[in-house]
Amino acid sequence: MSFSRNLRGAVMAALSLSLVAAPNARAGVFDTDPTKGGFYISGFGGINFGQDAEFEGIQDPAAGVPGVTGGPALVDVDFGSDRTFGGAVGAQLPFKVFGVFHPRIEIEGSSLRQTVERGAFNSGTQSFSGQLSGTALYLNNYSDIKFSENQVLVPYIGGGIGAVFLDSDIQYFPAALSAPNFAVQGEDTALGTHMAGGISFRFNDAFDLYSEARYTRIYNADFDRRFLANDGFSATVEDTISTVSVVGGLRFRF
């Protein structure tokens, strides 16, 4: 399924959710209470734990490239932990839902990297190295859970949707060789979504410290399996990539 089809479906789902969640003046449909809103900027950094991936495709080797036309191209990759960081510009909306949930929306730019630890091609024995990196642009929706206006520790939940610009350089070679001879390489733009939960420590009306755990999925990432000796094409391989991140950040309100 293409990025555009994924994006259209996700946008329609997000619009439907926003229509349900939008304040409604009719009593009994949606209860809101006025409260303080405003704008903010935030920055964060932390650790990204890459989940194992299985890139699948069908071999279609170019001339001079080893392989069997029509054969499977299954590249299992185990990722280790690496860094993630980013920032956002957002707005706290001037109402609470059901007297507890204080929503905010934001635009986030972030970066992640996953370092390759090990892997296998078609269940063989190979040595792997390299990394998968990405830059994302998300539209996020969070809700702070506030039981009082003077609350210092404020939990929150939410998520986001957007585009992730990926760059892959995963290299591998049989144990008999001492240098990479194949790689999963290339760039792709894929649909990304994430769910998150965290807690903010509010020093005052201007500054928050926060910590967050996030689960991210990047759908249908497509790359090329290539033979490095002549940069020859071997197969297009695809998988949905999942990560778990733990971050800390600072939020400045104005």
Side-chain angles (χ1 to χ4, degrees), residues 229-244:
N230 59 6
D231 192 31
F233 176 82
S234 171
T236 297
V237 292
E238 174 188 291
D239 193 22
T240 291
I241 298 164
S242 301
T243 72
V244 175

Side-chain angles (χ1 to χ4, degrees), residues 28-95:
V29 176
F30 208 84
D31 298 324
T32 63
D33 297 321
T35 191
K36 184 178 179 180
F39 296 95
Y40 64 85
I41 58 174
S42 64
F44 64 85
I47 302 174
N48 177 63
F49 301 94
Q51 308 297 292
D52 298 347
E54 184 178 84
F55 295 99
E56 300 183 12
I58 302 297
Q59 296 186 54
D60 185 19
V65 175
V68 178
T69 301
L74 304 177
V75 186
D76 295 312
V77 183
D78 295 350
F79 292 106
S81 60
D82 213 314
R83 55 100 178 118
T84 182
F85 61 89
V89 177
Q92 189 97 51
L93 302 183
F95 59 86

Side-chain angles (χ1 to χ4, degrees), residues 9 13 19 24 26-27 58 62 75 95 113-114 120 160 165-166 168-169 177 186 189 196 202 208 220 239 244:
L19 289 173
N24 192 315
R26 290 178 295 178
I58 302 297
V75 186
F95 59 86
R113 184 171 64 190
Q114 299 185 178
F165 308 96
L166 294 165
S168 175
D169 186 22
L177 300 179
T189 300
R202 298 200 166 180
D208 299 354
N220 301 330
D239 193 22
V244 175

